[in-house]
């Protein structure tokens, strides 16, 4: 069974479409809140300025961790600007990416020192920040996920939970191999890998891939040093020898992580390590091995079983035999279903000298959410603009996902026919809206109810509203709408629809509203007004001329009468 799993991994590595090493992978690094491109120490890393990606407020930053990049600004998102705020990044080539979001702390005493909020990528909730995240000098300084970006964009959203304003220090989008971290069935089919941790066993210092001179196609991963296992049951060893089969496609692991290891002692031959995890989750576990112990020279001298939470997952692991020799790397991967809050790895020797391990990776398997139908997102953004929606609504990102953070005033329904969410209800009553209804409101092809009552919406009701055949409830009561109610809407009242147009002084044309007179265009009304003015002036002029002529005649007659006398 173990040989089959290893064979499948090797096949995935060697048959994977390999990126062209003649070019560098796509990389985008954004220094949030920065007005200019900057280079950060100690490696002179280029970070692009933060321009037109999002809203929020730029300000000075405090780094929560020594592993955070040395940047001086961040961008935070006050709750007054809405509960959802997003970075929308365009022109990203189709591919597989490591997306890393560095968290920050606002450098002002009046701010909450540790905001707690949720992070989503492409509409899927990736992580909820736990209390105490800013007090740890490790991978909790960022949120990281491996995701396929297929439509040229990346949407990274931050959802307020009422515990401070989200603050983001920096964003990295780094291209990796299209078959990187292949874990078997379900790979790339609606699954996102969230990095939980990477541990470099026996290492003295925590480092990024660039510190190891790792291949750029590896995504510059962070490896936290792990000096020993529980109760000091392991001792660290290292080597200066080169490691074969390390930096290979598609994962491109740095060779340096295999040059250190933890080995078990004679007094405690088992190696055991327990990690705290989220319950009822699926994890992808990657175990790295290279036989660097000089006392082991051939196959059969060190054989062990690997237990995961008490289950014997890998039997008779012989690193030298499986990797083809000493100082040669091999990786074992398995998916672990966790029901409790801990994941324990136990290496139990069955033959020879103890057990050994070089590195551990744990990634959370997150099911990607189906997104909302794009046309309906565009229709909502148009409605947001024409109605003058207050900032407190937010309306950023995807209206329906993550499901834990839907847009306020928007009801969603999953349409199995198109495998997308659609908008089936709008409830924006009594919100002080003062705009108008756009003609392209007909883009909402699945709306069943609209409630815009109690606002100050003006202008006519667009005739396109009558083309939404699914619409059953429409409440426009208490606005400032004018003009004739579209015929299509009036006819629907005869078929059981519930429409309310009352308290709109300018509406007419259906029972319960005033009858409509002849409706003229604005130009026609202006023309008639000008014509009436001209006619009035003409009549006044004629009357004036007639009166003067009459006065002249009377005066002439009087003069003639006097002469006769």
């Amino acid at each position: 069974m173990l040989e089959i799993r290893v064979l499948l991994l090797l096949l995935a590595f060697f048959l994977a479409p390999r990126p062209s090493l003649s070019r560098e992978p796509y990389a985008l690094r954004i220094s949030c809140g920065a007005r200019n491109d900057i280079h950060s120490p100690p490696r002179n890393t280029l970070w692009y300025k933060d321009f037109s990606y999002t809203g929020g407020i730029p300000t000075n930053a405090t780094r929560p961790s020594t592993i955070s990049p040395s940047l001086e600004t961040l961008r935070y998102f006050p709750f007054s600007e809405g509960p959802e705020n997003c970075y929308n990044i365009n022109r990203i080539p189709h591919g597989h990416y490591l997306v890393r979001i560095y968290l920050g702390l606002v450098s002002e005493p009046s701010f909450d020192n540790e905001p707690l909020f949720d992070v989503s990528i492409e509409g899927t909730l990736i992580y909820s920040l736990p209390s105490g995240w800013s007090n740890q000098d490790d991978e909790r300084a960022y949120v990281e996920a491996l995701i396929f970006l297929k439509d040229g964009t990346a949407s990274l959203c931050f959802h307020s939970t009422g515990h401070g304003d989200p603050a983001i220090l920096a964003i990295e989008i780094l291209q990796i191999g299209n078959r990187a971290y292949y874990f078997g069935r379900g790979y790339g089919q609606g699954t996102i890998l969230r990095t939980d941790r990477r541990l470099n066993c026996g290492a003295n210092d925590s480092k990024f891939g660039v510190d190891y001179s790792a291949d750029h196609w590896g995504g510059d991963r962070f490896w936290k040093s792990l000096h020993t296992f529980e109760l000091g049951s392991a001792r660290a060893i290292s080597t200066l020898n080169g490691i074969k089969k390390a930096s290979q496609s598609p994962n491109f692991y740095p060779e340096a992580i295999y040059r250190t290891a933890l080995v078990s002692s004679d007094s405690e031959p088992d190696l055991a390590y327990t990690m705290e995890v989220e319950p009822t989750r699926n994890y992808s576990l990657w175990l790295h091995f290279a036989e660097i112990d000089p006392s082991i020279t051939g196959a059969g001298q060190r054989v062990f079983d690997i237990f995961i939470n008490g289950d014997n997952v890998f039997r008779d692991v012989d690193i030298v035999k499986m990797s083809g020799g000493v100082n040669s790397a091999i990786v074992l991967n398995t998916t672990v279903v966790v029901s409790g809050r801990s994941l324990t790895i136990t290496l139990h020797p069955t033959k020879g000298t103890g057990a050994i391990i070089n590195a551990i990776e744990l990634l959370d398997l997150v099911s990607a959410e189906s997104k909302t139908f794009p046309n309906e997102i565009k229709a909502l953004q148009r409605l947001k603009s024409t109605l003058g929606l207050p900032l407190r609504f937010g309306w950023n990102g995807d209206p329906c996902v993550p499901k834990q953070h839907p847009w306020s005033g928007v009801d969603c329904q999953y349409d199995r026919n198109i495998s997308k969410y659609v908008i089936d209800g709008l409830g924006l009553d009594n919100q002080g809206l003062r705009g108008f209804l756009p003609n392209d409101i007909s883009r909402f092809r699945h709306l069943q109810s609209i409630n815009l009552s109690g606002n100050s919406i003006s202008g006519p009701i667009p005739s396109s509203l009558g083309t939404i055949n699914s619409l059953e409830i429409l409440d426009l009561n208490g606005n400032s709408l004018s003009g004739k109610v579209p015929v299509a809407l009036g006819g629907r009242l005869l078929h059981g629809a519930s429409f309310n147009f009352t308290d709109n002084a300018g509406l007419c044309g259906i029972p319960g509203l005033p009858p409509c007179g002849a409706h003229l265009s604005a130009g026609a009304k202006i023309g008639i007004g000008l014509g009436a003015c001209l006619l009035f002036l003409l009549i006044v002029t004629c009357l004036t001329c007639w009166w003067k002529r009459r006065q002249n005649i009377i005066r002439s007659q009087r003069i003639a009468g006097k002469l006769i006398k």
Side-chain angles (χ1 to χ4, degrees), residues 29-31 34-38 47-51 53:
R29 293 179 170 91
I30 301 172
S31 175
R35 295 182 178 181
N36 300 292
D37 298 344
I38 60 174
W47 298 86
Y48 290 103
K49 64 182 178 181
D50 186 1
F51 178 71
Y53 294 114

Side-chain angles (χ1 to χ4, degrees), residues 186-311:
Y187 177 82
Q189 299 177 4
T191 301
I192 301 171
L193 291 173
R194 180 191 66 82
T195 303
D196 187 272
R197 70 196 73 193
R198 291 189 178 91
L199 304 173
N200 189 4
C201 301
N204 290 324
D205 301 305
S206 301
K207 294 183 178 182
F208 282 91
V210 67
D211 300 313
Y212 290 129
S213 300
D215 194 297
H216 291 175
W217 281 97
D220 195 19
R221 291 157 291 193
F222 173 71
W223 299 87
K224 181 183 178 181
S225 60
L226 184 63
H227 303 293
T228 187
F229 275 2
E230 297 164 4
L231 304 177
S233 61
R235 62 183 177 89
I237 63 172
S238 62
T239 183
L240 297 177
N241 294 327
I243 305 298
K244 299 180 288 292
K245 302 180 181 179
S247 186
Q248 292 184 340
S249 177
N251 287 359
F252 295 99
Y253 290 114
E255 185 178 340
I257 68 169
Y258 297 99
R259 288 190 177 135
T260 62
L262 289 174
V263 295
S264 59
S265 62
D266 293 336
S267 60
E268 186 59 53
D270 284 0
L271 278 179
Y273 184 68
T274 299
M275 296 176 281
E276 183 179 346
V277 295
E278 293 295 321
T280 64
R281 305 297 291 264
N282 294 344
Y283 287 89
S284 183
L285 178 65
W286 300 73
L287 304 175
H288 298 259
F289 302 95
E291 187 54 80
I292 62 172
D293 188 340
S295 66
I296 304 297
T297 58
Q301 296 179 23
R302 189 197 304 274
V303 182
F304 52 89
D305 292 344
I306 302 176
F307 292 81
I308 310 295
N309 280 349
D311 296 327

Side-chain angles (χ1 to χ4, degrees), residues 173-431:
I173 300 179
L174 309 176
Q175 188 176 13
I176 57 177
N178 285 338
R179 300 287 283 181
Y181 289 93
Y182 176 84
F183 57 82
R185 187 175 63 179
Y187 177 82
Q189 299 177 4
T191 301
I192 301 171
L193 291 173
R194 180 191 66 82
T195 303
D196 187 272
R197 70 196 73 193
R198 291 189 178 91
L199 304 173
N200 189 4
C201 301
N204 290 324
D205 301 305
S206 301
K207 294 183 178 182
F208 282 91
V210 67
D211 300 313
Y212 290 129
S213 300
D215 194 297
H216 291 175
W217 281 97
D220 195 19
R221 291 157 291 193
F222 173 71
W223 299 87
K224 181 183 178 181
S225 60
L226 184 63
H227 303 293
T228 187
F229 275 2
E230 297 164 4
L231 304 177
S233 61
R235 62 183 177 89
I237 63 172
S238 62
T239 183
L240 297 177
N241 294 327
I243 305 298
K244 299 180 288 292
K245 302 180 181 179
S247 186
Q248 292 184 340
S249 177
N251 287 359
F252 295 99
Y253 290 114
E255 185 178 340
I257 68 169
Y258 297 99
R259 288 190 177 135
T260 62
L262 289 174
V263 295
S264 59
S265 62
D266 293 336
S267 60
E268 186 59 53
D270 284 0
L271 278 179
Y273 184 68
T274 299
M275 296 176 281
E276 183 179 346
V277 295
E278 293 295 321
T280 64
R281 305 297 291 264
N282 294 344
Y283 287 89
S284 183
L285 178 65
W286 300 73
L287 304 175
H288 298 259
F289 302 95
E291 187 54 80
I292 62 172
D293 188 340
S295 66
I296 304 297
T297 58
Q301 296 179 23
R302 189 197 304 274
V303 182
F304 52 89
D305 292 344
I306 302 176
F307 292 81
I308 310 295
N309 280 349
D311 296 327
N312 195 339
V313 177
F314 297 105
R315 297 177 182 273
D316 299 326
V317 176
D318 187 333
I319 299 169
V320 175
K321 178 181 178 181
M322 294 165 64
S323 65
V326 297
N327 299 320
S328 185
I330 189 170
V331 185
L332 301 181
N333 167 245
T334 187
T335 298
V336 183
V337 180
V338 178
S339 57
R341 292 189 171 273
S342 63
L343 190 156
T344 300
I345 305 167
T346 305
L347 282 61
H348 175 68
T350 58
K351 183 180 179 182
T353 306
I356 186 173
I357 189 168
N358 302 76
I360 300 170
E361 294 180 282
L362 187 65
L363 298 102
D364 185 7
L365 297 175
V366 182
S367 297
E369 296 273 14
S370 296
K371 300 170 75 173
T372 303
F373 191 56
N375 277 356
E376 304 207 345
I377 297 180
K378 293 177 182 177
L380 282 173
Q381 294 292 358
R382 171 68 172 158
L383 196 66
K384 174 183 177 180
S385 174
T386 61
L387 292 180
L389 208 67
L391 283 176
R392 56 185 166 81
F393 274 84
W395 277 28
N396 297 303
D398 191 294
C400 301
V401 292
K403 288 182 288 188
Q404 298 88 341
H405 299 282
W407 288 4
S408 177
V410 177
D411 295 327
C412 301
Q413 184 178 23
Y414 185 71
D415 189 333
R416 297 183 181 277
N417 294 323
I418 59 174
S419 299
K420 299 282 186 184
Y421 280 95
V422 296
I423 310 304
D424 69 347
L426 292 173
L428 297 170
D429 52 304
N430 299 299
Q431 297 299 332

